[in-house]
Amino acid sequence: MFFTLFKSKGRNVLVRGLHFCKKFTSPNAEDIIFKAICVNISQKKWKFLDQVSSSLTTTLLPRIFQELRSSPCLLLEFYQRVGGVGTVSCSLESCCILIHVMVERKNFDDVLCLMKELMISKGYSPLDVLEALIHSSAGVSPSSSVFDALIRACTQIGATEDAYEVIEKSRIGGIRVSIHAWNNFLGHLLKIGDVAGFWEIYRKMVSYEYYESVNTYNLLIYALCKEGHLSKALSVFYRMIKAGFLPNIVAFNMLIDGACRADDLDVAQKVIGNIGTMSRGCVSANVVTYNSLINGYCKQGNPEMAEEILDKMIEMGVKPNIQTYATVIDGYSRKGCLEEGYRLCDRMVENSMNPDTVIYTSFIHWLWMEGDISGVSLLLSNMMENRVDPDEVTHSMMINGLCKNGHVNEALKVQNWIIDMNLVEDAFSHSIVMNYLCRSNDISGAEQLLCRMFVRGFLPDTVTYGAMIDGYCKASKMESAIQAYTDMVKVYKPNLVILNSILNGFCKEDSMDLSMSLLDEMKTLNMFDTISFNTLLSSHCRTGRLKEAFDLFTSMRRTGFLVNTVTYNIMINCLCRFRLFDHAGQILSLMLHQGLTPDSITYTTLLTNLSNKSSFDEVVKMHDYLLLHGVHADRATYEAIVRPQFERMNDSS
């Protein structure tokens, strides 16, 4: 009985003991560290973190971040104390909690930095980040600004397709990103030159019932101006005003720039004159506005009017900048009025603005164009005295000018100097010298330059290779050209200019099998143009292969876009050489029928050959026929052939 009672009581005691043990079981190490860190952070005892920094694991960090989420200031300070991005980005969950808090605090720069770190350095895909952001929202409806920021981060790192996937996945998941995210993505498409993609995405955005903002309208205006559709851009501009939006200065400047690019300066002037009215007095023209108009007049060859605009903007209280003066100075220089450019430069200095590298480089360029080497030397001395550092454009201009004026050795000395001074970073200046060496048939000099490039650690680019290959082809060194081409394609893709050079080299050597094989390969690569076919056609005509020439000519005409005035001139010249004047006349008729106007070469070819083989009546008749069809007579040919025929006719009458 006692034993039974004892068993019963003992069992109860044992059970109670077991419950007691469960209640007071020792917590694990991570729980202790977690509680200790949270207590110390709440009391801002940051030195404690130094003692436990090695214990901040990827499982512990999310717990701490979640605990501190209700105290954003503490969370952000903790984030900075533990090492910022480098430490926290090891845990995607921690980062996403932090991102939500940062967005709430409007710390968008830090958000973008953290997102880019996750995607670039840590290798998380944008969709991984999107999923983690949704998961870490802790049952609370997340702000659309979080997802807007992710789309912006994608566009900033160039992840175009990923940015659109984030938009679509968010939409499918019931998250509606804001119009700002769409604007950011549309702007990115325009920045990378994908105008077709821009219109496709814009149509999708509208189909999802988003309404345009001022920035959307600005992007539409920019896209239309970029495509040259000024009237459509103006239509969108007025649609924006009708929708109740006041245009900002960006919209006005885009329209004005678009009008100037379209050479419609009257429209540009009207828009500037109505800025105040259309913006209800909220917007006025700024320096960018006037700079666009000034650039438009300079492009039209009217720097005098551009200077009048400069005076007007000063009257209106808008201060011109260096770019304003640089544009007008370059406009005068382009027109050959260097003295006017110097005068304007003096005026700029009087207004406490010193000429910059761009202005000096512009003067240097036009002085080289005039062959004024002493003027260039004086200007460079003045540049150094005023402590204006030349840039790579200046150096390239110097090297190009020396080469163009026949001073290739001096150009090489300048190039060696800028390399020794570590003032050049790529192969561009080498390519300039290489081009001139190859043009002057100094192949050995070009080869030496190529060797020096490799020794100094400069890799040739496609321009350098192109100049070298073209030089080899013109010097009939086709084996060397092919070897250079083989070396190039190991690093770069071939381009049409280089392929045409090699094709021309094969044709010059009458290697027709190789020429045809190369042209077939170019067709496969979809890398050919009229020059490619004209080169082969000229080779057929030069070597008397009339059947092959006519077959190729017929094929080119059938395609349509492959024939041009040069094509017909090649055929006319070929037929005239073989005294097939009737056939040459038929080719001329085909040319006119296709809507192509014969040029001075057509004129000279026909009249020269007719004067040697036909009567002067035939020569005069052809002269009149060509003039009636809009051909401009070549003066030298007219004086040598046609005028004597007219004088002979007058004498005989």
Side-chain angles (χ1 to χ4, degrees):
M1 182 108 182
F2 174 77
F3 181 72
T4 305
L5 183 61
F6 174 79
K7 274 179 65 179
S8 177
K9 287 184 178 180
R11 185 173 178 277
N12 291 335
V13 170
L14 182 62
V15 170
R16 286 198 301 274
L18 286 171
H19 281 293
F20 181 81
C21 287
K22 282 184 180 180
K23 188 175 181 180
F24 290 97
T25 299
S26 316
N28 61 40
E30 186 176 285
D31 290 338
I32 294 171
I33 295 170
F34 167 71
K35 290 178 181 177
I37 288 174
C38 290
V39 169
N40 280 276
I41 289 174
S42 65
Q43 297 173 8
K44 294 194 174 185
K45 295 179 180 179
W46 301 112
K47 287 184 179 180
F48 178 74
L49 285 179
D50 298 334
Q51 301 169 20
V52 295
S53 58
S54 60
S55 303
L56 294 172
T57 62
T58 53
T59 56
L60 183 59
L61 277 170
R63 293 180 63 188
I64 298 170
F65 274 62
Q66 195 66 51
E67 182 71 19
L68 297 175
R69 188 166 183 170
S70 58
S71 304
C73 292
L74 280 177
L75 176 57
L76 293 173
E77 192 168 356
F78 170 68
Y79 162 68
Q80 296 295 337
R81 296 271 182 175
V82 297
V85 172
T87 303
V88 176
S89 62
C90 295
S91 167
L92 179 58
E93 190 179 348
S94 302
C95 286
C96 290
I97 294 169
L98 184 62
I99 286 167
H100 283 291
V101 172
M102 284 178 170
V103 168
E104 289 169 11
R105 305 285 294 182
K106 301 190 183 305
N107 293 357
F108 293 111
D109 289 341
D110 292 333
V111 167
L112 291 171
C113 179
L114 188 51
M115 285 179 169
K116 287 188 281 189
E117 174 74 14
L118 287 170
M119 291 185 284
I120 297 172
S121 301
K122 300 305 174 183
Y124 292 107
S125 73
L127 292 181
D128 290 337
V129 178
L130 174 65
E131 186 178 343
L133 286 169
I134 295 170
H135 178 73
S136 61
S137 58
V140 180
S141 179
S143 167
S144 65
S145 298
V146 172
F147 306 103
D148 291 356
L150 179 57
I151 294 161
R152 183 176 292 275
C154 288
T155 57
Q156 286 185 0
I157 64 173
T160 307
E161 292 181 6
D162 290 323
Y164 184 65
E165 278 193 7
V166 170
I167 292 174
E168 281 297 307
K169 291 285 184 183
S170 300
R171 185 181 66 81
I172 293 168
I175 298 168
R176 187 176 172 87
V177 299
S178 74
I179 187 64
H180 306 300
W182 285 98
N183 286 343
N184 174 259
F185 187 60
L186 289 169
H188 169 71
L189 291 173
L190 290 178
K191 189 176 180 181
I192 63 174
D194 187 3
V195 181
F198 169 86
W199 290 114
E200 182 183 348
I201 296 302
Y202 169 69
R203 284 190 290 271
K204 282 190 177 181
M205 183 194 87
V206 173
S207 72
Y208 296 150
E209 298 183 348
Y210 281 87
Y211 295 99
E212 295 95 337
S213 67
V214 171
N215 287 338
T216 318
Y217 282 113
N218 286 349
L219 290 168
L220 293 172
I221 291 167
Y222 177 76
L224 290 166
C225 288
K226 193 178 179 74
E227 292 180 307
H229 301 313
L230 179 60
S231 59
K232 290 182 180 179
L234 285 165
S235 176
V236 169
F237 181 81
Y238 289 119
R239 179 155 63 91
M240 173 174 64
I241 294 173
K242 285 180 182 178
F245 293 103
L246 280 178
N248 54 26
I249 192 60
V250 175
F252 285 109
N253 286 346
M254 283 179 178
L255 266 184
I256 292 160
D257 185 62
C260 291
R261 287 176 186 274
D263 287 332
D264 198 338
L265 298 181
D266 289 339
V267 169
Q269 289 272 34
K270 286 176 184 176
V271 172
I272 290 177
N274 287 299
I275 286 178
T277 304
M278 289 190 286
S279 68
R280 298 177 194 169
C282 295
V283 175
S284 58
N286 61 14
V287 67
V288 176
T289 318
Y290 287 108
N291 281 355
S292 293
L293 190 60
I294 285 169
N295 185 53
Y297 278 110
C298 287
K299 274 175 63 182
Q300 282 193 352
N302 190 355
E304 296 84 4
M305 186 63 187
E307 189 171 0
E308 286 185 25
I309 301 295
L310 170 62
D311 294 335
K312 182 181 177 181
M313 69 185 285
I314 294 170
E315 287 176 18
M316 299 295 291
V318 180
K319 187 178 179 181
N321 56 22
I322 290 179
Q323 184 185 341
T324 316
Y325 283 102
T327 304
V328 185
I329 289 168
D330 189 63
Y332 276 123
S333 301
R334 280 178 186 275
K335 203 174 177 181
C337 305
L338 282 172
E339 291 302 321
E340 291 298 313
Y342 289 137
R343 175 186 60 76
L344 201 61
C345 194
D346 291 338
R347 177 182 167 184
M348 182 179 72
V349 173
E350 289 171 4
N351 287 312
S352 303
M353 277 187 280
N354 293 320
D356 63 357
T357 306
V358 174
I359 292 175
Y360 274 108
T361 302
S362 177
F363 278 128
I364 289 168
H365 171 71
W366 295 109
L367 285 170
W368 277 126
M369 293 294 288
E370 292 184 358
D372 188 354
I373 298 172
S374 60
V376 171
S377 299
L378 286 170
L379 199 59
L380 281 169
S381 299
N382 182 264
M383 191 175 184
M384 299 303 176
E385 287 172 11
N386 291 328
R387 297 182 179 180
V388 179
D389 294 327
D391 59 12
E392 287 198 41
V393 178
T394 318
H395 295 141
S396 298
M397 201 77 72
M398 281 293 302
I399 292 167
N400 188 51
L402 286 167
C403 289
K404 189 172 182 179
N405 286 275
H407 305 290
V408 178
N409 289 332
E410 285 77 4
L412 284 167
K413 288 177 184 177
V414 171
Q415 186 188 41
N416 289 332
W417 177 78
I418 64 175
I419 290 171
D420 291 339
M421 298 295 290
N422 293 319
L423 299 174
V424 64
E425 297 179 357
D426 55 31
F428 184 70
S429 59
H430 291 85
S431 299
I432 295 170
V433 182
M434 180 78 74
N435 187 46
Y436 278 97
L437 288 170
C438 291
R439 268 204 217 165
S440 57
N441 295 320
D442 187 359
I443 300 300
S444 61
E447 288 174 335
Q448 289 174 19
L449 179 61
L450 190 64
C451 290
R452 282 206 299 272
M453 285 180 67
F454 283 115
V455 169
R456 292 175 183 252
F458 291 100
L459 289 175
D461 55 18
T462 51
V463 178
T464 318
Y465 274 117
M468 197 76 222
I469 290 167
D470 189 57
Y472 280 134
C473 291
K474 286 176 179 174
S476 298
K477 294 186 174 184
M478 292 308 297
E479 287 186 12
S480 299
I482 296 303
Q483 183 58 55
Y485 177 79
T486 304
D487 292 339
M488 185 198 75
V489 294
K490 291 175 182 176
V491 185
Y492 306 107
K493 291 181 179 179
N495 60 39
L496 181 57
V497 175
I498 292 171
L499 290 171
N500 277 342
S501 292
I502 297 172
L503 179 64
N504 187 50
F506 284 145
C507 288
K508 274 179 64 180
E509 291 197 338
D510 295 332
S511 302
M512 298 314 298
D513 290 341
L514 291 173
S515 298
M516 294 300 295
S517 297
L518 178 57
L519 190 58
D520 289 340
E521 181 65 23
M522 290 167 70
K523 288 179 186 177
T524 304
L525 294 170
N526 196 26
M527 201 176 286
F528 61 89
D529 61 1
T530 304
I531 294 172
S532 315
F533 284 87
N534 281 348
T535 300
L536 190 59
L537 181 66
S538 181
S539 180
H540 285 320
C541 290
R542 179 173 51 82
T543 53
R545 292 189 290 269
L546 288 182
K547 182 182 182 306
E548 289 83 352
F550 267 101
D551 288 344
L552 181 59
F553 176 67
T554 304
S555 172
M556 291 171 69
R557 284 194 71 246
R558 194 179 298 121
T559 307
F561 70 90
L562 284 175
V563 288
N564 60 11
T565 303
V566 175
T567 314
Y568 283 98
N569 284 345
I570 292 169
M571 289 300 299
I572 290 169
N573 183 58
C574 176
L575 293 167
C576 286
R577 275 177 53 222
F578 287 94
R579 301 186 182 184
L580 300 171
F581 298 116
D582 290 340
H583 289 81
Q586 291 171 12
I587 296 294
L588 178 63
S589 298
L590 286 174
M591 183 181 187
L592 294 168
H593 181 72
Q594 193 166 336
L596 293 172
T597 303
D599 59 12
S600 59
I601 294 173
T602 323
Y603 177 88
T604 300
T605 301
L606 285 166
L607 295 190
T608 302
N609 283 281
L610 281 171
S611 68
N612 293 330
K613 311 298 178 185
S614 304
S615 66
F616 65 84
D617 288 336
E618 291 294 325
V619 173
V620 173
K621 185 178 177 182
M622 179 59 73
H623 164 78
D624 293 343
Y625 179 79
L626 289 171
L627 259 60
L628 283 170
H629 285 86
V631 180
H632 293 288
D634 180 75
R635 178 170 288 277
T637 306
Y638 177 81
E639 294 293 337
I641 296 172
V642 182
R643 182 186 285 277
Q645 305 290 359
F646 277 127
E647 290 173 353
R648 202 176 303 168
M649 289 172 66
N650 291 332
D651 290 342
S652 62
S653 62

